[in-house]
Amino acid sequence: MNERSNPGPVPAAPTNDALDIVLRYHEETKHHFARYARGPGALDWANQPDPFRRYEGAPAFALPRLTPADEPTSPPYQSLYRANTIASAPVTLRSLSRLLEYAMAISAWKQVGDTRWALRSNPSSGNLHPTEAYVFAAGVAGLAPGVYHYIALEHALEQRAQWPPQRAMQLLQALPPDAFLIGLSSVVWRETWKYGERAFRYCQHDVGHAVGTLRIAARTLGWRMLLLDGASDDTIATLLGLDRADDFPGAEREHPDCIAAIWPVAQVDMPSPRATVCVPASLPEEAAHDAAGLVWRGRANRLSRGAPVYWEILDQVARASWKASTEHTVVDLPCGRAAESPADDAPRPDGREPSAGQIIRRRRSALAFDGKGSIAAERLFTLLARVMPGAQRSAGERAMPWDALPWQPAVHLALFVHRVDGFDPGLYLLARDRAAAGRLKDAMHPHFDWAAPAGCPTDLPLWLLQQGDARALAARLSCGQAIAGDGAFSLGMIAQFEPTLRERGPWFYRRLFWETGVIGQVLYLEAEAAGLRATGIGCYFDDPMHQVMGFNDARFQSLYHFTIGAALEDTRLTTLPPYQALA
Ligand SMILES: Cc1cc2nc3c(=O)[nH]c(=O)nc-3n(C[C@H](O)[C@H](O)[C@H](O)COP(=O)(O)O)c2cc1C
């Protein structure tokens, strides 16, 4: 294998160059009308990477395969967004199984002829699934303290390293009682195989979706989750064993992404002294680095037959956006009585509404829309309210799932409304942070209307920018994909870009994409709950979208597109159940 193509976790580049490299990567991986970002051209099917990683030789523990009726059962979907309606499940193998099922497991197999492929609870660009998940647990009965890799193919955990109980407890001691950790990493090669230089972006989108599925899955169990954003990438790599070159002999490496704490909150209506803790922004670095001295089990499987194709710019951006520091955003972290989501006006459960588990299991990307289905304005308002982080500036007080991201929201939505009853078709803007509206206005075309749509709730910062039929334009901007024009609406996710990166550092580039992924995940589930369907759109023409908005510099950039509508099913596909199909 070409060593340079398998560098594994990389150290930081000098900071003064790093931002330029990240900005150049972003610029060079834009799709233009006249030229797509550099990619492989034809797909090398013989070298297609395996979407399932195993650490061969590591002991594997099957997680209980729970039916929907098994405990812990799933609350009504709408209750995910209501305050204090879900009692915390104890952290056991069964509840961990539920968490991983709802967040990262296979949700179905699809088949056409002899070809079969798995879908998962988390969506993925090109269904290539670069994201790998790890669990660090110390007090779960039946699971020795240590680090485990999640095997999605078998819904099992394989033990990478067992930790002495006392040292494991030390690592978690600053966290609330019964907390455990989830780590995410990316096999960038899985996306590179198909998408070439744009792959790093797609991996970050997928991390964001996985953060979203995890936070929402944790909420179904009455648990909180927070990215420990102070942890450096070096710490995450060491803790998860990703820096152990000998454990990847000839195998494709994983890039460390993030680590999150998950913990049960107080029982409903039972304020508990257990909840009166402050969650730290990081892990004790020294305790995490103890991991290096442990006995590690298993060797990573090789995913492609041949060597990964090397793209220099991918190594460069990985290096430049590496988080070497323990720096983190100075926002208030959960502290005091563990906060739940603010209540909303949705109707109370009446026994007929679908459970969160039903919505999560049936989430799929639409392949095509009917070009006719419309949605009610009220539905659009509710759906947009769900992507609003809440008025609070403190992560601890924000609405779920935004309470998992410890930074000030930096992504807004530019909506192409096609068919929403009571709405004029046209271009709209949702400022997810009202305080950013002035800056957005300043950067956009001066002729935009900025008119409040009729009936729009006052706490929803939504404006009509320009009336008009945007169906053809939206499809054209999304690489000519009809799904962007045939739905009820589609959108571009507009990130506060260069000033944010200058202020926070080049490592924040990845987090901007993560935020878009969480927004996408909320929208996927909201679409299902509304009887509609959604699709993430990673293929879009960057600067033509910016021209539509009037952006003539990099203060704002569109990082992800998305579409929602009434789906047409592809009747050629057979759907098989997630795990029994393996028997
Ligand atoms: C970041 C991201 C980008 C995507 N881009 C596109 C796209 O440009 N066009 C498209 O048809 N589907 C796109 N998808 C949808 C994926 O193809 C889909 O998630 C994958 O095939 C798995 O199917 P599922 O979502 O039904 O589980 C994207 C998904 C993600 C998460």
Side-chain angles (χ1 to χ4, degrees):
M1 178 178 290
N2 175 354
E3 249 319 297
R4 287 202 310 161
S5 66
N6 191 25
V10 286
T15 341
N16 49 347
D17 296 341
L19 183 62
D20 288 345
I21 293 170
V22 165
L23 294 175
R24 183 170 59 81
Y25 170 78
H26 190 69
E27 207 49 43
E28 290 197 10
T29 54
K30 286 180 170 175
H31 286 328
H32 301 275
F33 282 149
R35 175 181 70 77
Y36 282 94
R38 280 178 290 274
L43 291 182
D44 180 1
W45 289 106
N47 212 22
Q48 184 178 16
D50 184 341
F52 297 108
R53 166 132 279 169
R54 281 299 307 260
Y55 284 90
E56 285 151 6
F61 306 92
L63 287 163
R65 293 200 186 151
L66 305 174
T67 70
D70 288 327
E71 286 291 331
T73 52
S74 182
Y77 172 75
Q78 298 297 343
S79 71
L80 299 183
Y81 292 94
R82 278 186 216 117
N84 297 326
T85 46
I86 304 170
S88 273
V91 180
T92 62
L93 271 183
R94 291 176 80 81
S95 49
L96 263 184
S97 172
R98 267 286 186 249
L99 178 88
L100 290 164
E101 177 201 339
Y102 288 169
M104 306 295 295
I106 294 175
S107 54
W109 287 86
K110 291 280 175 182
Q111 189 161 345
V112 178
D114 294 338
T115 312
R116 202 173 67 164
W117 63 96
L119 300 179
R120 304 196 201 179
S121 304
N122 54 321
S124 168
S125 185
N127 203 27
L128 298 166
H129 288 285
T131 317
E132 296 289 333
Y134 293 80
V135 175
F136 180 97
V140 181
L143 208 58
V147 181
Y148 296 81
H149 169 247
Y150 176 62
I151 314 172
L153 184 61
E154 296 163 34
H155 193 52
L157 290 172
E158 53 188 348
Q159 190 190 61
R160 285 282 285 132
Q162 189 166 331
W163 276 54
Q166 217 180 339
R167 276 160 70 187
M169 292 313 288
Q170 266 168 13
L171 185 73
L172 302 178
Q173 72 186 1
L175 297 171
D178 301 334
F180 62 95
L181 306 174
I182 295 270
L184 298 177
S185 68
S186 297
V187 181
V188 181
W189 164 241
R190 288 203 182 112
E191 292 287 327
T192 312
W193 168 75
K194 183 169 181 188
Y195 296 114
E197 293 192 347
R198 209 164 152 101
F200 193 75
R201 297 180 177 212
Y202 294 151
C203 288
Q204 311 311 320
H205 285 129
D206 280 17
V207 170
H209 277 284
V211 168
T213 59
L214 281 162
R215 175 61 191 107
I216 292 166
R219 173 69 179 140
T220 69
L221 296 155
W223 297 346
R224 282 290 311 266
M225 169 172 149
L226 179 73
L227 284 196
L228 301 181
D229 213 30
S232 70
D233 286 341
D234 305 271
T235 298
I236 299 172
T238 306
L239 184 66
L240 305 183
L242 309 178
D243 58 354
R244 306 179 58 78
D246 290 353
D247 293 355
F248 294 79
E252 299 79 355
R253 300 295 290 268
E254 297 173 28
H255 186 295
D257 291 315
C258 57
I259 197 115
I262 296 183
W263 67 95
V265 290
Q267 301 293 308
V268 176
D269 300 330
M270 286 175 55
S272 153
R274 282 159 40 106
T276 56
V277 281
C278 292
V279 180
S282 191
L283 290 171
E285 296 273 311
E286 276 156 32
H289 282 276
D290 278 359
L294 300 170
V295 174
W296 287 77
R297 316 268 197 94
R299 298 278 179 277
N301 61 338
R302 185 166 172 159
L303 305 174
S304 276
R305 268 196 258 166
V309 177
Y310 178 66
W311 297 88
E312 189 180 19
I313 201 168
L314 289 176
D315 273 5
Q316 288 173 348
V317 70
R319 221 174 270 277
S321 62
W322 185 265
K323 185 169 186 285
S325 69
T326 54
E327 183 192 336
H328 56 88
T329 319
V330 188
V331 290
D332 298 334
L333 297 166
C335 196
R337 175 109 203 278
E340 290 292 300
S341 312
D344 67 13
D345 303 332
R348 309 291 299 176
D350 61 2
R352 280 174 302 167
E353 59 175 295
S355 72
Q358 282 172 314
I359 299 290
I360 288 169
R361 268 193 224 98
R362 73 174 192 227
R363 182 210 63 78
R364 300 277 182 277
S365 292
L367 302 174
F369 291 126
D370 68 0
K372 294 189 280 239
S374 65
I375 63 168
E378 286 307 316
R379 180 54 89 169
L380 180 69
F381 295 142
T382 307
L383 193 143
L384 294 180
R386 295 273 154 89
V387 302
M388 291 299 291
Q392 293 80 0
R393 294 185 76 79
S394 142
E397 299 292 315
R398 285 205 195 114
M400 195 290 300
W402 314 108
D403 52 359
L405 302 183
W407 59 77
Q408 205 48 38
V411 179
H412 312 281
L413 307 185
L415 297 122
F416 297 103
V417 170
H418 308 315
R419 275 174 294 273
V420 176
D421 300 337
F423 260 62
D424 291 323
L427 178 63
Y428 290 73
L429 183 92
L430 178 77
R432 288 181 60 251
D433 179 358
R434 194 182 278 274
R439 272 172 287 146
L440 282 157
K441 197 169 185 173
D442 213 38
M444 287 183 192
H445 287 305
H447 64 256
F448 281 156
D449 291 342
W450 293 90
C456 182
T458 49
D459 56 354
L460 202 58
L462 178 69
W463 293 278
L464 169 65
L465 300 181
Q466 188 166 5
Q467 212 176 315
D469 181 349
R471 288 174 297 176
L473 174 68
R476 174 94 176 104
L477 291 172
S478 289
C479 295
Q481 300 184 78
I483 45 172
D486 287 345
F489 67 97
S490 63
L491 57 94
M493 300 194 197
I494 308 294
Q496 297 164 200
F497 194 69
E498 191 171 331
T500 309
L501 299 186
R502 289 202 181 279
E503 184 196 338
R504 304 304 321 282
W507 54 271
F508 207 77
Y509 181 62
R510 291 155 56 203
R511 280 145 183 83
L512 289 177
F513 283 93
W514 300 354
E515 190 174 325
T516 67
V518 180
I519 294 172
Q521 198 54 35
V522 168
L523 292 176
Y524 261 120
L525 297 186
E526 282 295 301
E528 291 293 339
L532 302 166
R533 193 142 269 183
T535 303
I537 298 183
C539 189
Y540 59 89
F541 295 115
D542 301 69
D543 285 341
M545 174 66 186
H546 300 149
Q547 280 153 18
V548 167
M549 304 305 295
F551 300 143
N552 52 21
D553 55 34
R555 275 178 288 170
F556 294 95
Q557 296 278 282
S558 187
L559 297 190
Y560 191 18
H561 283 204
F562 213 82
T563 183
I564 293 183
L568 292 176
E569 291 301 325
D570 187 339
T571 51
R572 293 166 304 173
L573 304 185
T574 310
T575 305
L576 303 165
Y579 289 99
Q580 292 88 322
L582 289 172

